[in-house]
Amino acid sequence: GISKFSDPNVPVLKYPSKDARDFAEFLVNNEHFARDHVRLLTDQGATKENILDALGDTWLPQRVLEDDLVVIFISTHGSPADKAEENFIVAHDTNSNKLFSTGIKIQDLASEITRRTGCDRVVLILDACHSGAAELAAKGMVRQSNFDADKLVGSGLLIISSRQADE
């Protein structure tokens, strides 16, 4: 969860870091995730390098087993599509004038997590503008009311986004 950014041109957000802390506590206290299986990155700790390291190098791939359930919650700014039709997650250290080199490409995020962990049960929750770009070819749940997570069985990737790709 990122509320504060090093780039003064990126507006401060009120709730993302709090939402991330609350979601981490929910996973531990309500869903009984082991505390050492929940990684929380907020504000200055949520740099592009730290996020990608946690998702693809030293943290998640070292802990997850093939049949585990991976749940990732990201709350921050998301960028509109650039000239290449790509959207980006804005990390703490993202430069708003250099999104390609300093942001995290939304369109690659889900597939990279699945590929780097080898896990085939991934839930990716994106609370960011333009987060619907995460899986443009996928079918969306439009105005879906609550669903029962206990009834979700099997494998696959579930992306829950707060916005469509163009908003």
Side-chain angles (χ1 to χ4, degrees), residues 141-163:
M141 295 188 298
V142 178
R143 295 199 181 269
Q144 175 69 33
S145 60
N146 270 340
F147 56 90
D148 185 349
D150 292 329
K151 292 182 181 175
L152 295 176
V153 295
S155 62
L157 170 66
L158 175 63
I159 299 173
I160 302 171
S161 64
S162 62
R163 299 278 191 245

PDB file of all heavy atoms in Angstrom, residues 141-163:
ATOM      1  N   MET A 141     -15.949  -9.695 -14.134  1.00  0.00           N
ATOM      2  CA  MET A 141     -17.174  -9.787 -13.347  1.00  0.00           C
ATOM      3  C   MET A 141     -17.658  -8.352 -13.164  1.00  0.00           C
ATOM      4  O   MET A 141     -17.061  -7.602 -12.416  1.00  0.00           O
ATOM      5  CB  MET A 141     -16.895 -10.423 -11.979  1.00  0.00           C
ATOM      6  CG  MET A 141     -16.448 -11.863 -12.057  1.00  0.00           C
ATOM      7  SD  MET A 141     -16.337 -12.666 -10.445  1.00  0.00           S
ATOM      8  CE  MET A 141     -15.093 -11.703  -9.625  1.00  0.00           C
ATOM      9  N   VAL A 142     -18.665  -7.992 -13.880  1.00  0.00           N
ATOM     10  CA  VAL A 142     -19.167  -6.634 -13.824  1.00  0.00           C
ATOM     11  C   VAL A 142     -20.238  -6.540 -12.756  1.00  0.00           C
ATOM     12  O   VAL A 142     -21.195  -7.306 -12.760  1.00  0.00           O
ATOM     13  CB  VAL A 142     -19.721  -6.203 -15.191  1.00  0.00           C
ATOM     14  CG1 VAL A 142     -20.292  -4.803 -15.126  1.00  0.00           C
ATOM     15  CG2 VAL A 142     -18.641  -6.300 -16.251  1.00  0.00           C
ATOM     16  N   ARG A 143     -20.027  -5.619 -11.835  1.00  0.00           N
ATOM     17  CA  ARG A 143     -20.972  -5.405 -10.738  1.00  0.00           C
ATOM     18  C   ARG A 143     -21.379  -6.706 -10.065  1.00  0.00           C
ATOM     19  O   ARG A 143     -22.531  -6.936  -9.743  1.00  0.00           O
ATOM     20  CB  ARG A 143     -22.190  -4.625 -11.205  1.00  0.00           C
ATOM     21  CG  ARG A 143     -21.847  -3.234 -11.631  1.00  0.00           C
ATOM     22  CD  ARG A 143     -23.078  -2.364 -11.636  1.00  0.00           C
ATOM     23  NE  ARG A 143     -22.749  -1.047 -12.057  1.00  0.00           N
ATOM     24  CZ  ARG A 143     -22.397  -0.062 -11.238  1.00  0.00           C
ATOM     25  NH1 ARG A 143     -22.348  -0.264  -9.960  1.00  0.00           N
ATOM     26  NH2 ARG A 143     -22.113   1.122 -11.704  1.00  0.00           N
ATOM     27  N   GLN A 144     -20.413  -7.549  -9.884  1.00  0.00           N
ATOM     28  CA  GLN A 144     -20.656  -8.826  -9.200  1.00  0.00           C
ATOM     29  C   GLN A 144     -20.820  -8.551  -7.711  1.00  0.00           C
ATOM     30  O   GLN A 144     -20.013  -7.863  -7.121  1.00  0.00           O
ATOM     31  CB  GLN A 144     -19.463  -9.769  -9.433  1.00  0.00           C
ATOM     32  CG  GLN A 144     -19.533 -11.064  -8.687  1.00  0.00           C
ATOM     33  CD  GLN A 144     -20.619 -11.973  -9.214  1.00  0.00           C
ATOM     34  OE1 GLN A 144     -20.911 -11.981 -10.395  1.00  0.00           O
ATOM     35  NE2 GLN A 144     -21.230 -12.720  -8.339  1.00  0.00           N
ATOM     36  N   SER A 145     -21.865  -9.099  -7.126  1.00  0.00           N
ATOM     37  CA  SER A 145     -22.001  -8.962  -5.683  1.00  0.00           C
ATOM     38  C   SER A 145     -21.003  -9.900  -5.034  1.00  0.00           C
ATOM     39  O   SER A 145     -20.280 -10.620  -5.715  1.00  0.00           O
ATOM     40  CB  SER A 145     -23.429  -9.287  -5.256  1.00  0.00           C
ATOM     41  OG  SER A 145     -23.751 -10.606  -5.624  1.00  0.00           O
ATOM     42  N   ASN A 146     -20.971  -9.921  -3.744  1.00  0.00           N
ATOM     43  CA  ASN A 146     -20.010 -10.769  -3.042  1.00  0.00           C
ATOM     44  C   ASN A 146     -20.084 -12.207  -3.532  1.00  0.00           C
ATOM     45  O   ASN A 146     -21.132 -12.695  -3.931  1.00  0.00           O
ATOM     46  CB  ASN A 146     -20.280 -10.750  -1.535  1.00  0.00           C
ATOM     47  CG  ASN A 146     -19.526  -9.652  -0.848  1.00  0.00           C
ATOM     48  OD1 ASN A 146     -18.551  -9.145  -1.386  1.00  0.00           O
ATOM     49  ND2 ASN A 146     -19.972  -9.288   0.330  1.00  0.00           N
ATOM     50  N   PHE A 147     -18.947 -12.863  -3.496  1.00  0.00           N
ATOM     51  CA  PHE A 147     -18.902 -14.278  -3.830  1.00  0.00           C
ATOM     52  C   PHE A 147     -18.305 -15.004  -2.642  1.00  0.00           C
ATOM     53  O   PHE A 147     -17.630 -14.416  -1.814  1.00  0.00           O
ATOM     54  CB  PHE A 147     -18.094 -14.533  -5.115  1.00  0.00           C
ATOM     55  CG  PHE A 147     -16.693 -14.007  -5.059  1.00  0.00           C
ATOM     56  CD1 PHE A 147     -15.655 -14.790  -4.588  1.00  0.00           C
ATOM     57  CD2 PHE A 147     -16.405 -12.717  -5.478  1.00  0.00           C
ATOM     58  CE1 PHE A 147     -14.360 -14.313  -4.533  1.00  0.00           C
ATOM     59  CE2 PHE A 147     -15.115 -12.225  -5.416  1.00  0.00           C
ATOM     60  CZ  PHE A 147     -14.084 -13.029  -4.950  1.00  0.00           C
ATOM     61  N   ASP A 148     -18.575 -16.274  -2.564  1.00  0.00           N
ATOM     62  CA  ASP A 148     -18.120 -17.087  -1.442  1.00  0.00           C
ATOM     63  C   ASP A 148     -16.778 -17.715  -1.801  1.00  0.00           C
ATOM     64  O   ASP A 148     -16.714 -18.619  -2.638  1.00  0.00           O
ATOM     65  CB  ASP A 148     -19.153 -18.166  -1.130  1.00  0.00           C
ATOM     66  CG  ASP A 148     -18.815 -18.972   0.109  1.00  0.00           C
ATOM     67  OD1 ASP A 148     -17.684 -18.856   0.625  1.00  0.00           O
ATOM     68  OD2 ASP A 148     -19.700 -19.717   0.566  1.00  0.00           O
ATOM     69  N   ALA A 149     -15.708 -17.221  -1.187  1.00  0.00           N
ATOM     70  CA  ALA A 149     -14.363 -17.725  -1.484  1.00  0.00           C
ATOM     71  C   ALA A 149     -14.234 -19.210  -1.188  1.00  0.00           C
ATOM     72  O   ALA A 149     -13.446 -19.907  -1.827  1.00  0.00           O
ATOM     73  CB  ALA A 149     -13.325 -16.934  -0.694  1.00  0.00           C
ATOM     74  N   ASP A 150     -15.017 -19.721  -0.246  1.00  0.00           N
ATOM     75  CA  ASP A 150     -14.959 -21.147   0.076  1.00  0.00           C
ATOM     76  C   ASP A 150     -15.465 -22.019  -1.082  1.00  0.00           C
ATOM     77  O   ASP A 150     -15.169 -23.199  -1.147  1.00  0.00           O
ATOM     78  CB  ASP A 150     -15.770 -21.464   1.336  1.00  0.00           C
ATOM     79  CG  ASP A 150     -15.144 -20.859   2.583  1.00  0.00           C
ATOM     80  OD1 ASP A 150     -13.906 -20.735   2.616  1.00  0.00           O
ATOM     81  OD2 ASP A 150     -15.902 -20.518   3.511  1.00  0.00           O
ATOM     82  N   LYS A 151     -16.234 -21.429  -1.975  1.00  0.00           N
ATOM     83  CA  LYS A 151     -16.770 -22.179  -3.104  1.00  0.00           C
ATOM     84  C   LYS A 151     -15.863 -22.113  -4.330  1.00  0.00           C
ATOM     85  O   LYS A 151     -16.144 -22.740  -5.338  1.00  0.00           O
ATOM     86  CB  LYS A 151     -18.166 -21.670  -3.455  1.00  0.00           C
ATOM     87  CG  LYS A 151     -19.183 -21.986  -2.370  1.00  0.00           C
ATOM     88  CD  LYS A 151     -20.552 -21.529  -2.746  1.00  0.00           C
ATOM     89  CE  LYS A 151     -21.534 -21.860  -1.609  1.00  0.00           C
ATOM     90  NZ  LYS A 151     -22.865 -21.344  -1.876  1.00  0.00           N
ATOM     91  N   LEU A 152     -14.798 -21.322  -4.250  1.00  0.00           N
ATOM     92  CA  LEU A 152     -13.844 -21.257  -5.340  1.00  0.00           C
ATOM     93  C   LEU A 152     -12.891 -22.436  -5.206  1.00  0.00           C
ATOM     94  O   LEU A 152     -12.138 -22.533  -4.246  1.00  0.00           O
ATOM     95  CB  LEU A 152     -13.046 -19.945  -5.300  1.00  0.00           C
ATOM     96  CG  LEU A 152     -13.842 -18.669  -5.528  1.00  0.00           C
ATOM     97  CD1 LEU A 152     -12.939 -17.464  -5.366  1.00  0.00           C
ATOM     98  CD2 LEU A 152     -14.489 -18.664  -6.894  1.00  0.00           C
ATOM     99  N   VAL A 153     -12.937 -23.326  -6.141  1.00  0.00           N
ATOM    100  CA  VAL A 153     -12.093 -24.511  -6.085  1.00  0.00           C
ATOM    101  C   VAL A 153     -11.289 -24.618  -7.372  1.00  0.00           C
ATOM    102  O   VAL A 153     -11.610 -23.988  -8.370  1.00  0.00           O
ATOM    103  CB  VAL A 153     -12.925 -25.797  -5.878  1.00  0.00           C
ATOM    104  CG1 VAL A 153     -13.606 -25.774  -4.531  1.00  0.00           C
ATOM    105  CG2 VAL A 153     -13.935 -25.972  -6.992  1.00  0.00           C
ATOM    106  N   GLY A 154     -10.270 -25.427  -7.334  1.00  0.00           N
ATOM    107  CA  GLY A 154      -9.460 -25.649  -8.519  1.00  0.00           C
ATOM    108  C   GLY A 154      -8.297 -24.692  -8.586  1.00  0.00           C
ATOM    109  O   GLY A 154      -7.815 -24.183  -7.576  1.00  0.00           O
ATOM    110  N   SER A 155      -7.856 -24.449  -9.799  1.00  0.00           N
ATOM    111  CA  SER A 155      -6.693 -23.604  -9.992  1.00  0.00           C
ATOM    112  C   SER A 155      -7.049 -22.472 -10.938  1.00  0.00           C
ATOM    113  O   SER A 155      -8.082 -22.476 -11.580  1.00  0.00           O
ATOM    114  CB  SER A 155      -5.543 -24.432 -10.558  1.00  0.00           C
ATOM    115  OG  SER A 155      -5.908 -24.954 -11.822  1.00  0.00           O
ATOM    116  N   GLY A 156      -6.158 -21.528 -10.998  1.00  0.00           N
ATOM    117  CA  GLY A 156      -6.346 -20.412 -11.904  1.00  0.00           C
ATOM    118  C   GLY A 156      -5.934 -19.100 -11.278  1.00  0.00           C
ATOM    119  O   GLY A 156      -5.396 -19.051 -10.173  1.00  0.00           O
ATOM    120  N   LEU A 157      -6.202 -18.063 -11.999  1.00  0.00           N
ATOM    121  CA  LEU A 157      -5.837 -16.709 -11.619  1.00  0.00           C
ATOM    122  C   LEU A 157      -7.110 -15.894 -11.496  1.00  0.00           C
ATOM    123  O   LEU A 157      -7.922 -15.863 -12.422  1.00  0.00           O
ATOM    124  CB  LEU A 157      -4.923 -16.113 -12.693  1.00  0.00           C
ATOM    125  CG  LEU A 157      -4.612 -14.636 -12.613  1.00  0.00           C
ATOM    126  CD1 LEU A 157      -3.798 -14.323 -11.367  1.00  0.00           C
ATOM    127  CD2 LEU A 157      -3.855 -14.209 -13.858  1.00  0.00           C
ATOM    128  N   LEU A 158      -7.302 -15.258 -10.353  1.00  0.00           N
ATOM    129  CA  LEU A 158      -8.436 -14.376 -10.136  1.00  0.00           C
ATOM    130  C   LEU A 158      -7.889 -12.978  -9.913  1.00  0.00           C
ATOM    131  O   LEU A 158      -7.084 -12.765  -9.008  1.00  0.00           O
ATOM    132  CB  LEU A 158      -9.253 -14.821  -8.917  1.00  0.00           C
ATOM    133  CG  LEU A 158     -10.408 -13.910  -8.487  1.00  0.00           C
ATOM    134  CD1 LEU A 158     -11.465 -13.817  -9.593  1.00  0.00           C
ATOM    135  CD2 LEU A 158     -11.030 -14.410  -7.201  1.00  0.00           C
ATOM    136  N   ILE A 159      -8.294 -12.053 -10.777  1.00  0.00           N
ATOM    137  CA  ILE A 159      -7.879 -10.660 -10.632  1.00  0.00           C
ATOM    138  C   ILE A 159      -9.101  -9.851 -10.265  1.00  0.00           C
ATOM    139  O   ILE A 159     -10.114  -9.875 -10.967  1.00  0.00           O
ATOM    140  CB  ILE A 159      -7.265 -10.108 -11.935  1.00  0.00           C
ATOM    141  CG1 ILE A 159      -6.030 -10.915 -12.313  1.00  0.00           C
ATOM    142  CG2 ILE A 159      -6.909  -8.633 -11.770  1.00  0.00           C
ATOM    143  CD1 ILE A 159      -5.457 -10.555 -13.671  1.00  0.00           C
ATOM    144  N   ILE A 160      -9.000  -9.160  -9.159  1.00  0.00           N
ATOM    145  CA  ILE A 160     -10.067  -8.258  -8.718  1.00  0.00           C
ATOM    146  C   ILE A 160      -9.506  -6.854  -8.828  1.00  0.00           C
ATOM    147  O   ILE A 160      -8.525  -6.510  -8.167  1.00  0.00           O
ATOM    148  CB  ILE A 160     -10.496  -8.566  -7.277  1.00  0.00           C
ATOM    149  CG1 ILE A 160     -10.974 -10.019  -7.159  1.00  0.00           C
ATOM    150  CG2 ILE A 160     -11.565  -7.579  -6.813  1.00  0.00           C
ATOM    151  CD1 ILE A 160     -11.206 -10.486  -5.735  1.00  0.00           C
ATOM    152  N   SER A 161     -10.113  -6.056  -9.698  1.00  0.00           N
ATOM    153  CA  SER A 161      -9.606  -4.704  -9.893  1.00  0.00           C
ATOM    154  C   SER A 161     -10.682  -3.683  -9.544  1.00  0.00           C
ATOM    155  O   SER A 161     -11.871  -3.954  -9.669  1.00  0.00           O
ATOM    156  CB  SER A 161      -9.139  -4.503 -11.337  1.00  0.00           C
ATOM    157  OG  SER A 161     -10.204  -4.611 -12.246  1.00  0.00           O
ATOM    158  N   SER A 162     -10.219  -2.528  -9.108  1.00  0.00           N
ATOM    159  CA  SER A 162     -11.157  -1.499  -8.680  1.00  0.00           C
ATOM    160  C   SER A 162     -11.617  -0.620  -9.832  1.00  0.00           C
ATOM    161  O   SER A 162     -12.554   0.151  -9.674  1.00  0.00           O
ATOM    162  CB  SER A 162     -10.512  -0.630  -7.595  1.00  0.00           C
ATOM    163  OG  SER A 162      -9.366   0.028  -8.106  1.00  0.00           O
ATOM    164  N   ARG A 163     -10.968  -0.715 -10.958  1.00  0.00           N
ATOM    165  CA  ARG A 163     -11.282   0.141 -12.095  1.00  0.00           C
ATOM    166  C   ARG A 163     -11.137  -0.633 -13.401  1.00  0.00           C
ATOM    167  O   ARG A 163     -10.465  -1.646 -13.463  1.00  0.00           O
ATOM    168  CB  ARG A 163     -10.323   1.342 -12.169  1.00  0.00           C
ATOM    169  CG  ARG A 163     -10.374   2.242 -10.974  1.00  0.00           C
ATOM    170  CD  ARG A 163     -11.541   3.207 -11.125  1.00  0.00           C
ATOM    171  NE  ARG A 163     -11.455   4.237 -10.112  1.00  0.00           N
ATOM    172  CZ  ARG A 163     -12.343   4.397  -9.151  1.00  0.00           C
ATOM    173  NH1 ARG A 163     -13.353   3.579  -9.050  1.00  0.00           N
ATOM    174  NH2 ARG A 163     -12.220   5.372  -8.296  1.00  0.00           N
TER     175      ARG A 163
END
